[in-house]
Each structure stands twice: as structure tokens, then as C-alpha cells.
Amino acid sequence: MGPPGAGKGTQAVRLRERIGVVHLSAGDMLREAVKRGTPLGLAARGMMERGELIPDDLVAQMVEERLRDPECAAGFLLDGYPRNLAQARRLSEFLEKSGRRLDRVLALRLPETELLSRLTGRRLCGTCGAGYHVANKPPRRIGICDVCGNELMQRADDREEIVRERLRVYTTQTLPLLEFYRESGLLFEVDATGTPDEVFGRIAEALEEVPR
């Protein structure tokens, strides 16, 4: 868990490599659905561009279908789901019925000023998918991809007005999840400031405390 720009995707990939389970990114699954023009993607496209949350039932159906996949039987890492209490309760019911449970909920924390800087500065190559940041990882030529030489773009949901709306939605709808998982004894809050290595070190410490 964590607000947009806290580094969930970056850390999830590293964590997947460390513990060897399937990484399920709700955001990636939605963006792929939009790209392929599936019914879910078509329904979600406008809401994503406005920074709104996708209806719970649509996202839950997508995640639950993926969790039924045999490759998730040995374990899974959820990234960007659940995002509100309704999704969390539905996930708990789904896992209980399938004889599974969550081991740990990691919540990344970062000041809003840094979140804004991280998100609004991101740039992406629409051709090869290479990622950059205007301050932290700039291309050699402004606006041009180092890998393939094509023009870089800013994701629609990384514009400042959309980022502020995404943060507002997170504060009002997702933050209550912290208390929900705190009460269940699953929550571990992680300081997401610093380098990716420093943040991952804190995450590794949190996982060492998970009962086996």
C-alpha cells in the first residue's frame, strides 16, 4: 500500500525477485486492459485519466480471476489493491473461501511534496517503454528517449492537477485501510524516503517479522 508515487511498483518488483512469488499490479492490469481495448479497459479509461478510482466490482473481478490462476497458488504479491475498505473486505472473504490469507500488509509513507515531484517529473517512451524523470533520471537529450530516439511523453494521470486529485482520493478512501489492517495485526508502515536500496532494506526488515 501507499500513495501514488511512493514507489510501490519499484519495490514490488524487487520483492518479487527476493521471495519468488507472482507480482500482481492492479494498475498494470488496468493499463493493459485499456491498451487492448477490452470492455473493462474501455470502461476504465476515462476514469483513470481523471484520477478517479475504478469501481470496486470491476477491479475485484479482475484481481480475483488472476488469483485463481494456478501460478498464484504458491503465493502472490498485490500492488495497488485493495484501495478501500470495500475492496479489502471482499478480498478477505475471497481468500478465506479459498483457504488462503495475507501474511503482511506493507504501507509506504512519503511527504506530499515529494510525491508531487516524483509523479509530475516522470516521463515515458511510448515506443519502447523506457522510463525517465526530469530531475532524477533525465534523458541525454531533453524529451528524447536514449534507447530508441523517439519522443518522451507524460502519462495523462501524472499531470499536476490529476496527481493532486489522485492524492485526495487516496487520503479519503485508502488511508482508512491502515486502521483496518492495523487492527488485524498485519500492518507494517515503511518510510519510503531515501534511495530504493534504503527503502527495500526497511521492507526486508518488515518481512523478517512475519510469522511462518
Side-chain angles (χ1 to χ4, degrees):
M1 290 177 54
K8 297 186 297 297
T10 298
Q11 296 300 334
V13 170
R14 300 184 65 162
L15 190 53
R16 175 197 66 197
E17 295 170 352
R18 168 101 173 223
I19 63 179
V21 298
V22 178
H23 169 211
L24 304 179
S25 166
D28 287 349
M29 284 189 279
L30 281 168
R31 281 187 284 273
E32 180 62 22
V34 170
K35 183 178 179 180
R36 291 190 287 113
T38 67
L40 172 61
L42 293 173
R45 181 173 182 174
M47 288 178 278
M48 291 174 66
E49 291 179 348
R50 294 189 297 271
E52 300 171 359
L53 288 180
I54 308 303
D56 293 339
D57 189 56
L58 290 179
V59 183
Q61 288 179 42
M62 177 184 65
V63 173
E64 289 168 7
E65 181 179 353
R66 191 71 176 85
L67 288 175
R68 292 187 185 97
D69 194 301
E71 72 172 337
C72 293
F76 57 88
L77 172 64
L78 287 171
D79 168 12
Y81 184 89
R83 289 192 175 184
N84 58 46
L85 285 174
Q87 291 179 355
R89 291 178 177 131
R90 177 164 173 165
L91 175 64
S92 295
E93 292 173 2
F94 174 83
L95 292 176
E96 185 176 355
K97 289 177 181 177
S98 60
R100 291 183 285 180
R101 61 179 174 83
L102 296 178
D103 294 310
R104 174 67 75 192
V105 175
L106 301 172
L108 303 182
R109 300 190 320 262
L110 201 66
E112 183 172 318
T113 52
E114 187 164 348
L115 291 170
L116 282 168
S117 174
R118 284 189 182 186
L119 289 171
T120 59
R122 294 195 302 196
R123 297 295 183 269
L124 180 70
C125 178
T127 302
C128 72
Y132 302 87
H133 191 280
V134 295
N136 303 326
K137 188 185 175 183
R140 289 191 293 269
R141 290 187 294 161
I142 296 175
I144 302 298
C145 178
D146 293 346
V147 178
C148 67
N150 284 294
E151 186 176 359
L152 300 179
M153 55 181 245
Q154 184 182 43
R155 269 176 29 188
D157 56 350
D158 280 347
R159 298 196 306 268
E160 183 171 350
E161 65 273 19
I162 300 301
V163 169
R164 289 189 181 277
E165 174 62 13
R166 292 168 67 194
L167 293 176
R168 186 196 67 78
V169 169
Y170 175 80
T171 299
T172 57
Q173 298 194 36
T174 310
L175 277 182
L177 282 177
L178 294 178
E179 191 58 33
F180 177 81
Y181 284 121
R182 184 178 288 111
E183 291 176 356
S184 65
L186 295 174
L187 183 69
F188 193 100
E189 295 188 76
V190 177
D191 178 7
T193 59
T195 68
D197 286 344
E198 291 170 339
V199 177
F200 189 72
R202 298 174 195 132
I203 290 174
E205 290 177 5
L207 291 180
E208 288 175 1
E209 299 182 17
V210 176
R212 299 297 179 186

